[in-house]
Amino acid sequence: MAQLVYDKTGRLLFTKEMKRDYTLLMPQMLPVTFTMMKKVFELYGYKIEMLTTNHRSIVETGLKYVHNDTCYPALLVIGQLIEAINSGKYDVHKIGLLISQTGGGCRASNYIHLLRKALEKAGMSYIPVVSVNLSGLESNPGFGLSLQVIRRLAAGMIYGDLIVWLSNQCKPYELEKGSTDTHAAMWTERLVDMFGRGRGLRKKEMRATMVEIVEDFSKIETSDKRDKPRVGIVGEIYVKYAPLGNNGLEQFLLDEGCEPVVPGLTDFMIFKINNRVVDVDLYRGYRVKKLVAGVFQRYIEGLQRGMVEAVETKPAFRPMGKFSDLQKLIRGYLGYGNKMGEGWLLTAEMLELIHTGTKNIVCTQPFGCLPNHVVGKGMIRRLKDDYPDSNIVAIDYDPGATRINQENRIKLMIANAGRQPTGG
């Protein structure tokens, strides 16, 4: 067992010695993108285990260690981690827990404190909790995000978004079942191998690689008839993406004969970076902070433009939008200072879906997420007034919600979608 080291506040640190011997457990949110990010961390010597468990007992475990008025994603993430610790699969004296912190006003920044409190309650406060953040919230001697790591994670995010975007346009129509998943898995492995050799990271290389990915996905044999209703998924970031959080919503839509359309993680990351710029504009502050954030934002936006241009090389695929498009669409609805949780971005994503022909939308709402009830459910009436042919349903996800009730409400929305023309 490694020697436990604490900082001046009494926080248990993840040390360099722990990096050699410990396995870090990481919750899964986006299966493709997080698989890539996991392997990026492994390139730098970390032992990572990504948790993919998905069953009701995770909720029960979360309720045991987290107050039931806490936001649902926190309850799920903490329940999944505690259950993994208690599974007997790991040496509890040689594991750490990896969790992200956004640094914003959302309670997602405080999951880490709720998790430590849960560990203390469970008598396992000797297990270190490692924060993954770009806001300087916490640091550990045995874990860091160098520019090289950040660069590879950013590339993994872009490639992950591209693969998921293409997969969702191929999977509903594939003639050979499983061929899309095979392509996605192959490219995930290939990209991580490239990262390990320092390839596929420069902008020029990334653009060429993304064009190659689009070309490869275009070879998947699909039906010529593209008449399935498109259904967009928006909402709080965890329940929007994580199968554990939304009861496998994407697969459910596929099973119901729909084509899921899910805005990527890239817009959310640019949104979070842009918030640092907006803070200085609205509330004053350090200009150097705005300058650094602006440089980082332009870098990610440049990668996003390359991704859009790659998709545009094949007319069979619809390209995703750009962050600058979202900024234009939201004008007249919400100000840029509305940035708690997903803030104005959530409403903008619904607007983008409507404008690009995906007028059927599931807005995923986790219990306890006040910001998203304001910018999600709270904006639906305004959107329906402006776009009467939009077909939007808000689905609540919480410990007491039944899956059958959620799915029945989505089926009703799909039935309404069947009476509307498919978007172009």
Side-chain angles (χ1 to χ4, degrees), residues 336-390:
Y336 296 146
N338 193 318
K339 58 189 180 62
M340 294 299 102
E342 279 59 50
W344 62 260
L345 179 69
L346 198 163
T347 308
E349 286 182 338
M350 289 195 281
L351 283 163
E352 181 183 50
L353 288 167
I354 293 168
H355 277 254
T356 54
T358 301
K359 299 179 181 181
N360 312 298
I361 301 170
V362 177
C363 185
T364 59
Q365 300 289 152
F367 173 78
C369 187
L370 179 60
N372 283 281
H373 278 276
V374 173
V375 296
K377 186 181 291 184
M379 293 299 294
I380 290 176
R381 173 49 55 196
R382 168 72 188 277
L383 294 178
K384 286 187 174 180
D385 287 344
D386 288 354
Y387 304 95
D389 57 346
S390 63

Side-chain angles (χ1 to χ4, degrees), residues 243-264:
L244 174 61
N246 59 35
N247 291 328
L249 179 56
E250 282 187 58
Q251 187 57 52
F252 173 75
L253 291 174
L254 287 167
D255 293 341
E256 291 296 314
C258 300
E259 177 189 334
V261 183
V262 190

Side-chain angles (χ1 to χ4, degrees), residues 247 252 393-396 398 400-412:
N247 291 328
F252 173 75
V393 61
I395 303 296
D396 294 323
D398 63 72
T402 63
R403 182 168 186 160
I404 189 69
N405 183 53
Q406 293 164 344
E407 293 181 350
N408 282 340
R409 295 193 64 220
I410 296 170
K411 284 180 179 180
L412 180 60

